[in-house]
Amino acid sequence: MKIGSAYEIAGRPIGPDHPPYIIAEVSANHLGNLDRALELVDIAAACGCDAVKIQTYRADTITIDHDGPDFTLTEGLWRGRRLYELYQEAHTPWEWHEALFKRARENGVTIFSSPFDATAVELLERLETPAYKIASFEIVDIPLIELCASTKKPLIISTGMANLGEIEEAVNAAIRAGAAGVALLHCTSGYPTPFKDADLRTIPSLADAFGVPVGLSDHTDGLSSPVVAIALGASIIEKHITRLRSDGGPDAAFSLEPTEFTEMAKACNNAWSALGRVRYSRAISEDANAKIRRSLYVVADIKKGDRISNENVRSIRPGFGLPPKHLPTIIGKTVRHDLKRGTALAWSDIEN
């Protein structure tokens, strides 16, 4: 399936021809404190993000309070924790949402969320969210995708754990239900993700398969993966942000601190700028250095009528003389007038 790639959020065009769209994911790094959540919005804006993203669910809308083995994590970063207690700790209280949306807008950055059920979509619609993010775990929830798409807003869909068929089903559902565009984020839902599992070569494959803007939702350490992703064609980078990893919290281990996030945003924009265009002409920044390329110079005084030899003419820097490729042609030719050592050789200096 191929669909058009024109895509924007809140008037900001997103795609290969535009600077990368940087999303700061707050997630659970508010640690249950509204003031800290608001501070993280301020921090994210100052770090150069284009958008702040939160998550909209309650523990009892995403799971149930149950002690059974199905509801207890047995491996990974959150091993031993019950789903209900994890989500109870990590959720962003709904009564905070209006303040968070207001703070982001005051900072001049876009804010949107990942909804996890119909009541979350209802809340976000009241707040006039400009877009919806479908989390990797929800890519199989086609009714949720259709509900978000029916608002006629653009969707960003993360692809963690999904196979190609599941991704196609999600994209088809979004377009069929009226989404104002779809973007896909390659994602490995490991928290944190080992570099060997990042598989960033999937990014251009996604773009080829679906013809939509693609990006990376990253859980690897540091900023290497986002920069490589840009080089591979990513138009969106999503990364968790926190004040200090040492503050703890469910998402701290795979979040960037402010100085790191700033560096990542700058590096991604620099990487996109460096990709540039296919060019085989001289860049403006090269003009000055072109003067010190090699050319043919007189390196020993030559009298009128004397012959040019390898002893009196050489290829040296700077570049004001004849191109070096002409040296074999002019060896043995006579000169029309006296030439001093250090003279840039010109055709007018040579007989015939």
Side-chain angles (χ1 to χ4, degrees), residues 301-349:
D301 291 350
I302 310 176
K303 297 291 186 181
K304 178 181 177 180
D306 285 350
R307 296 186 180 278
I308 295 173
S309 69
N310 287 317
E311 285 69 42
N312 55 31
V313 171
R314 284 173 45 203
S315 168
I316 62 170
R317 295 183 182 187
F320 298 103
L322 292 173
K325 66 181 180 180
H326 296 301
L327 183 59
T329 302
I330 65 172
I331 292 294
K333 301 287 187 183
T334 58
V335 298
R336 293 175 172 173
H337 40 253
D338 292 352
L339 295 171
K340 291 290 186 180
R341 181 176 182 269
T343 300
L345 196 65
W347 288 119
S348 57
D349 298 325

Side-chain angles (χ1 to χ4, degrees), residues 188 190-199 219-221 225:
T188 301
Y191 304 99
T193 298
F195 285 106
K196 65 181 179 63
D197 289 344
D199 293 327
H219 306 111
T220 62
D221 183 47
S225 292

Side-chain angles (χ1 to χ4, degrees), residues 39-83:
E39 181 186 11
L40 281 172
V41 173
D42 295 338
I43 288 171
C47 288
C49 75
D50 295 284
V52 172
K53 194 186 80 66
I54 58 176
Q55 298 183 6
T56 307
Y57 64 86
R58 294 188 176 104
D60 57 4
T61 64
I62 199 170
T63 189
I64 58 173
D65 190 357
H66 199 287
D67 293 328
D70 288 356
F71 296 88
T72 301
L73 297 168
T74 58
E75 52 189 319
L77 184 63
W78 307 305
R79 183 175 61 252
R81 301 199 64 179
R82 293 193 307 119
L83 287 178

Side-chain angles (χ1 to χ4, degrees), residues 2 9 15 30 44 68 106 110 126 138 196 200 220 257 305 331:
K2 289 267 189 180
I9 293 177
H30 52 66
E106 289 172 349
T110 299
R126 289 201 304 269
E138 274 57 49
K196 65 181 179 63
L200 299 181
T220 62
E257 294 181 357
I331 292 294

